[in-house]
Amino acid sequence: MTRYRISHPAASDIVEILAWSQEQFGKQARKRYEKLIATAIRDIAAASTRPGSAERPELGKGVRSWHLRGSRNDTTGGVVRRPRHFLIYRVEDDILLIGRILHDAMELRRHIDTSWQ
């Protein structure tokens, strides 16, 4: 498995997504979405170019996306029926860099800073 690093914007995305999930759907739904995000990160860390991931040259060199729905059947403790987020990532020096976790209705290019730290 490739090591991974979550950028500050991606960490903030996770906090916001989980808070919103709990507000709208309750604690159990938040826990399910939290497990889904963790599973998606593990899936991509294991195989960053896995089927279903997409090259996103419009977002920067080496940037890819993975929709959380691709990992929803791999979680334990319940399935999220309609996940709505993308992991936006790239691999650099054998480290998976998670740049953002964005809603699939967003125009992704408006929310990407390619200098992820």
Side-chain angles (χ1 to χ4, degrees), residues 14 18 21 29-39 80:
I14 292 169
L18 297 179
S21 292
R30 179 198 49 82
K31 286 182 177 182
R32 285 192 302 271
Y33 219 83
E34 185 174 14
K35 287 181 181 181
L36 177 60
I37 291 170
T39 299
V80 176

mmCIF file of all heavy atoms in Angstrom, residues 14 18 21 29-39 80:
data_model
loop_
_atom_site.group_PDB
_atom_site.id
_atom_site.type_symbol
_atom_site.label_atom_id
_atom_site.label_comp_id
_atom_site.label_asym_id
_atom_site.label_seq_id
_atom_site.Cartn_x
_atom_site.Cartn_y
_atom_site.Cartn_z
ATOM 1 N N ILE A 14 -13.361 16.974 4.880
ATOM 2 C CA ILE A 14 -13.873 15.824 5.627
ATOM 3 C C ILE A 14 -14.681 16.289 6.835
ATOM 4 O O ILE A 14 -15.798 15.801 7.080
ATOM 5 C CB ILE A 14 -12.725 14.883 6.049
ATOM 6 C CG1 ILE A 14 -12.116 14.214 4.814
ATOM 7 C CG2 ILE A 14 -13.222 13.834 7.045
ATOM 8 C CD1 ILE A 14 -10.815 13.463 5.084
ATOM 9 N N LEU A 18 -18.708 15.515 7.137
ATOM 10 C CA LEU A 18 -19.223 14.694 8.236
ATOM 11 C C LEU A 18 -20.163 15.484 9.143
ATOM 12 O O LEU A 18 -21.175 14.945 9.599
ATOM 13 C CB LEU A 18 -18.076 14.075 9.026
ATOM 14 C CG LEU A 18 -17.204 13.101 8.218
ATOM 15 C CD1 LEU A 18 -16.074 12.566 9.078
ATOM 16 C CD2 LEU A 18 -18.030 11.968 7.628
ATOM 17 N N SER A 21 -23.407 15.731 7.245
ATOM 18 C CA SER A 21 -24.079 14.427 7.238
ATOM 19 C C SER A 21 -24.792 14.172 8.559
ATOM 20 O O SER A 21 -25.926 13.690 8.577
ATOM 21 C CB SER A 21 -23.078 13.301 6.977
ATOM 22 O OG SER A 21 -22.582 13.370 5.674
ATOM 23 N N ALA A 29 -25.563 7.857 10.137
ATOM 24 C CA ALA A 29 -25.236 8.190 8.748
ATOM 25 C C ALA A 29 -23.851 8.801 8.662
ATOM 26 O O ALA A 29 -23.079 8.494 7.748
ATOM 27 C CB ALA A 29 -26.279 9.146 8.177
ATOM 28 N N ARG A 30 -23.507 9.664 9.618
ATOM 29 C CA ARG A 30 -22.166 10.249 9.639
ATOM 30 C C ARG A 30 -21.118 9.166 9.774
ATOM 31 O O ARG A 30 -20.113 9.164 9.069
ATOM 32 C CB ARG A 30 -21.998 11.257 10.771
ATOM 33 C CG ARG A 30 -20.573 11.837 10.781
ATOM 34 C CD ARG A 30 -20.174 12.507 12.069
ATOM 35 N NE ARG A 30 -20.405 11.793 13.280
ATOM 36 C CZ ARG A 30 -19.605 10.840 13.784
ATOM 37 N NH1 ARG A 30 -18.518 10.474 13.159
ATOM 38 N NH2 ARG A 30 -19.904 10.259 14.920
ATOM 39 N N LYS A 31 -21.352 8.215 10.649
ATOM 40 C CA LYS A 31 -20.391 7.118 10.839
ATOM 41 C C LYS A 31 -20.236 6.304 9.551
ATOM 42 O O LYS A 31 -19.129 5.909 9.198
ATOM 43 C CB LYS A 31 -20.825 6.215 11.987
ATOM 44 C CG LYS A 31 -20.621 6.833 13.347
ATOM 45 C CD LYS A 31 -21.032 5.852 14.434
ATOM 46 C CE LYS A 31 -20.779 6.416 15.803
ATOM 47 N NZ LYS A 31 -21.129 5.451 16.856
ATOM 48 N N ARG A 32 -21.336 6.044 8.859
ATOM 49 C CA ARG A 32 -21.259 5.297 7.598
ATOM 50 C C ARG A 32 -20.438 6.071 6.563
ATOM 51 O O ARG A 32 -19.600 5.501 5.865
ATOM 52 C CB ARG A 32 -22.652 4.994 7.044
ATOM 53 C CG ARG A 32 -23.374 3.900 7.781
ATOM 54 C CD ARG A 32 -24.612 3.443 7.044
ATOM 55 N NE ARG A 32 -25.568 4.509 6.803
ATOM 56 C CZ ARG A 32 -26.546 4.863 7.639
ATOM 57 N NH1 ARG A 32 -26.690 4.232 8.794
ATOM 58 N NH2 ARG A 32 -27.374 5.832 7.335
ATOM 59 N N TYR A 33 -20.656 7.390 6.469
ATOM 60 C CA TYR A 33 -19.924 8.198 5.491
ATOM 61 C C TYR A 33 -18.458 8.294 5.872
ATOM 62 O O TYR A 33 -17.578 8.258 5.005
ATOM 63 C CB TYR A 33 -20.560 9.585 5.345
ATOM 64 C CG TYR A 33 -20.572 10.061 3.913
ATOM 65 C CD1 TYR A 33 -21.570 9.656 3.040
ATOM 66 C CD2 TYR A 33 -19.585 10.893 3.425
ATOM 67 C CE1 TYR A 33 -21.585 10.075 1.718
ATOM 68 C CE2 TYR A 33 -19.582 11.321 2.108
ATOM 69 C CZ TYR A 33 -20.582 10.901 1.256
ATOM 70 O OH TYR A 33 -20.581 11.309 -0.052
ATOM 71 N N GLU A 34 -18.181 8.376 7.151
ATOM 72 C CA GLU A 34 -16.797 8.412 7.626
ATOM 73 C C GLU A 34 -16.067 7.127 7.234
ATOM 74 O O GLU A 34 -14.937 7.168 6.732
ATOM 75 C CB GLU A 34 -16.794 8.589 9.141
ATOM 76 C CG GLU A 34 -15.444 8.769 9.753
ATOM 77 C CD GLU A 34 -15.530 9.092 11.238
ATOM 78 O OE1 GLU A 34 -16.602 8.924 11.868
ATOM 79 O OE2 GLU A 34 -14.507 9.530 11.780
ATOM 80 N N LYS A 35 -16.712 5.992 7.421
ATOM 81 C CA LYS A 35 -16.116 4.711 7.013
ATOM 82 C C LYS A 35 -15.930 4.646 5.504
ATOM 83 O O LYS A 35 -14.938 4.114 5.012
ATOM 84 C CB LYS A 35 -16.973 3.542 7.501
ATOM 85 C CG LYS A 35 -16.875 3.313 8.983
ATOM 86 C CD LYS A 35 -17.726 2.144 9.417
ATOM 87 C CE LYS A 35 -17.620 1.954 10.918
ATOM 88 N NZ LYS A 35 -18.410 0.814 11.388
ATOM 89 N N LEU A 36 -16.888 5.187 4.765
ATOM 90 C CA LEU A 36 -16.780 5.195 3.309
ATOM 91 C C LEU A 36 -15.578 6.023 2.858
ATOM 92 O O LEU A 36 -14.822 5.594 1.981
ATOM 93 C CB LEU A 36 -18.063 5.725 2.686
ATOM 94 C CG LEU A 36 -18.051 5.854 1.166
ATOM 95 C CD1 LEU A 36 -17.806 4.506 0.495
ATOM 96 C CD2 LEU A 36 -19.351 6.476 0.683
ATOM 97 N N ILE A 37 -15.382 7.196 3.433
ATOM 98 C CA ILE A 37 -14.240 8.030 3.069
ATOM 99 C C ILE A 37 -12.934 7.293 3.371
ATOM 100 O O ILE A 37 -12.026 7.259 2.539
ATOM 101 C CB ILE A 37 -14.296 9.399 3.780
ATOM 102 C CG1 ILE A 37 -15.457 10.225 3.224
ATOM 103 C CG2 ILE A 37 -12.965 10.141 3.623
ATOM 104 C CD1 ILE A 37 -15.758 11.484 4.021
ATOM 105 N N ALA A 38 -12.852 6.688 4.544
ATOM 106 C CA ALA A 38 -11.635 5.947 4.915
ATOM 107 C C ALA A 38 -11.395 4.780 3.962
ATOM 108 O O ALA A 38 -10.256 4.538 3.538
ATOM 109 C CB ALA A 38 -11.748 5.453 6.353
ATOM 110 N N THR A 39 -12.452 4.080 3.595
ATOM 111 C CA THR A 39 -12.323 2.956 2.655
ATOM 112 C C THR A 39 -11.857 3.438 1.293
ATOM 113 O O THR A 39 -10.985 2.828 0.672
ATOM 114 C CB THR A 39 -13.666 2.209 2.535
ATOM 115 O OG1 THR A 39 -14.015 1.693 3.820
ATOM 116 C CG2 THR A 39 -13.584 1.072 1.527
ATOM 117 N N VAL A 80 -23.548 3.316 2.220
ATOM 118 C CA VAL A 80 -24.061 4.639 1.862
ATOM 119 C C VAL A 80 -24.681 4.469 0.475
ATOM 120 O O VAL A 80 -23.983 4.142 -0.481
ATOM 121 C CB VAL A 80 -22.927 5.684 1.842
ATOM 122 C CG1 VAL A 80 -23.455 7.030 1.365
ATOM 123 C CG2 VAL A 80 -22.279 5.792 3.216
#
